[in-house]
């Protein structure tokens, strides 16, 4: 009888430990269901599987076999509260590679740079600015909310346009382009111009930027 009692306790502990090791969330979004399965691995690392389903059909998925914490935080965050109705965003941290996983009304999953997001309400666009010095490259992207697609995406592996993560950058609209401008006088960057027509990023001094009529964008 005692043996049966201790066996019950042992298996209860194993089930509890397994439950703590693996987490599962599922959230409805329009005609889809977004699921996130995460498992805690060794040394603060995790694995994560994101799936987007419509009925029994998987329309998109993203699998991270291992996300390293690198002394920081490793996880994919799925929040029920979203700021915009037509997209759903998850946030991935770790690997010195922060990402925003954007799911649109078509059931597509788009991999975008983590960092700050600015909203151009007039044009119906989101501007993504990755500005962490600890990560291997700067990255910028512009997402068209109306047409549900990425219209500008640049990874700057040479780090010509490196941002300082201790300084705030304001993204502004100037004509048809976007400007990431530092608000810190000691920052030598000046500004980075997102040339929407040429699909390139151009470094510009303050003097040149100040000649353009700029409209600040709100952060999302």
């Amino acid at each position: 009888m005692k043996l049966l009692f201790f066996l019950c306790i042992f298996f209860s502990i194993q089930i509890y430990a397994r439950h703590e090791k693996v987490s599962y969330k599922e959230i409805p979004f329009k005609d889809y269901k977004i699921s996130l399965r995460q498992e805690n691995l060794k040394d603060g690392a995790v694995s994560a599987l994101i799936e987007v389903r419509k009925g029994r059909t998987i329309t998109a998925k993203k699998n991270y076999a291992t996300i390293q914490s690198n002394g920081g935080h490793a996880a994919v965050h799925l929040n029920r509260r979203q700021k915009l109705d037509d997209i759903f965003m998850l946030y991935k941290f770790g690997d010195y590679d922060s990402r925003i996983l954007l799911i649109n009304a078509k059931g597509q999953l788009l991999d975008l740079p983590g960092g700050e997001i600015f909203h151009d309400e007039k044009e119906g666009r989101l501007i993504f600015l990755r500005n962490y010095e600890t990560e291997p490259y700067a990255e910028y992207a512009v997402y068209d909310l109306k047409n549900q697609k990425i219209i500008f995406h640049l990874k700057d592996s040479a780090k010509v346009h490196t941002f300082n993560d201790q300084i705030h950058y304001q993204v502004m609209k100037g004509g048809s382009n976007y400007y990431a401008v530092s608000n810190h006088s000691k920052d030598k960057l000046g500004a980075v111009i997102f040339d929407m027509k040429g699909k390139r990023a151009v470094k510009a001094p303050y003097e040149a930027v100040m000649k353009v009529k700029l409209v600040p964008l709100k952060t999302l």
Side-chain angles (χ1 to χ4, degrees), residues 3 6-7 21 24 27 48 52 73 78 89 116 142 146 150-152 162 174-175 179-180 186 188 191 195 197 204:
L3 178 61
F6 285 114
L7 282 172
K21 189 177 180 182
Y24 182 84
I27 292 179
V52 184
H73 180 54
L78 184 155
M89 291 189 288
E116 290 190 275
V142 180
K146 183 179 179 180
I150 299 169
I151 57 174
F152 181 97
T162 302
Y179 293 70
K186 293 182 180 180
K188 297 179 181 178
D195 180 357
K197 187 176 181 180

Side-chain angles (χ1 to χ4, degrees), residues 17-82:
R18 179 65 181 169
H19 176 72
E20 288 295 296
K21 189 177 180 182
V22 179
S23 65
Y24 182 84
K25 291 182 180 180
E26 188 174 271
I27 292 179
F29 168 66
K30 295 190 176 294
D31 297 330
Y32 305 92
K33 284 188 178 179
I34 301 167
S35 64
L36 169 62
R37 182 188 185 277
Q38 289 192 96
E39 182 173 353
N40 294 323
L41 306 175
K42 293 181 180 179
D43 301 319
V46 300
S47 65
L49 174 63
I50 303 102
E51 290 184 336
V52 184
R53 293 176 179 269
K54 187 174 184 179
R56 295 184 179 181
T57 303
I58 298 175
T59 62
K61 73 176 181 178
K62 185 80 172 179
N63 183 43
Y64 294 101
T66 307
I67 304 173
Q68 299 290 345
S69 64
N70 301 117
H73 180 54
V76 176
H77 291 286
L78 184 155
N79 298 319
R80 293 181 180 274
R81 293 183 178 181
Q82 296 285 313

Side-chain angles (χ1 to χ4, degrees), residues 26-205:
E26 188 174 271
I27 292 179
F29 168 66
K30 295 190 176 294
D31 297 330
Y32 305 92
K33 284 188 178 179
I34 301 167
S35 64
L36 169 62
R37 182 188 185 277
Q38 289 192 96
E39 182 173 353
N40 294 323
L41 306 175
K42 293 181 180 179
D43 301 319
V46 300
S47 65
L49 174 63
I50 303 102
E51 290 184 336
V52 184
R53 293 176 179 269
K54 187 174 184 179
R56 295 184 179 181
T57 303
I58 298 175
T59 62
K61 73 176 181 178
K62 185 80 172 179
N63 183 43
Y64 294 101
T66 307
I67 304 173
Q68 299 290 345
S69 64
N70 301 117
H73 180 54
V76 176
H77 291 286
L78 184 155
N79 298 319
R80 293 181 180 274
R81 293 183 178 181
Q82 296 285 313
K83 295 182 178 180
L84 297 175
D85 294 333
D86 292 328
I87 60 171
F88 194 101
M89 291 189 288
L90 296 89
Y91 301 84
K92 177 254 180 185
F93 299 95
D95 293 331
Y96 296 125
D97 185 24
S98 56
R99 312 301 302 170
I100 293 174
L101 306 175
L102 184 152
I103 298 162
N104 62 24
K106 296 178 181 179
Q108 299 169 325
L109 190 155
L110 305 175
D111 189 345
L112 291 158
E116 290 190 275
I117 309 172
F118 294 84
H119 189 190
D120 183 349
E121 296 181 62
K122 185 177 180 180
E123 297 290 341
R125 294 172 178 174
L126 296 178
I127 298 88
F128 296 81
L129 172 63
R130 174 163 157 158
N131 63 333
Y132 300 121
E133 281 188 303
T134 54
E135 299 191 343
Y137 49 81
E139 190 173 354
Y140 340 97
V142 180
Y143 178 76
D144 186 328
L145 290 163
K146 183 179 179 180
N147 296 303
Q148 301 184 68
K149 64 180 182 179
I150 299 169
I151 57 174
F152 181 97
H153 191 187
L154 178 65
K155 290 183 179 181
D156 184 8
S157 56
K159 299 194 81 171
V160 175
H161 310 297
T162 302
F163 292 98
N164 184 332
D165 58 5
Q166 302 301 315
I167 297 173
H168 176 70
Y169 295 87
Q170 172 67 53
V171 172
M172 304 185 187
K173 182 76 178 294
S176 60
N177 297 324
Y178 295 102
Y179 293 70
V181 183
S182 166
N183 68 347
H184 200 292
S185 59
K186 293 182 180 180
D187 184 22
K188 297 179 181 178
L189 175 68
V192 171
I193 304 171
F194 302 166
D195 180 357
M196 297 300 293
K197 187 176 181 180
K199 304 298 181 186
R200 60 183 184 143
V202 182
K203 186 175 180 180

Side-chain angles (χ1 to χ4, degrees), residues 8-19:
C8 288
I9 292 176
F10 174 78
F11 285 117
S12 296
I13 291 171
Q14 295 302 308
I15 292 169
Y16 176 76
R18 179 65 181 169
H19 176 72

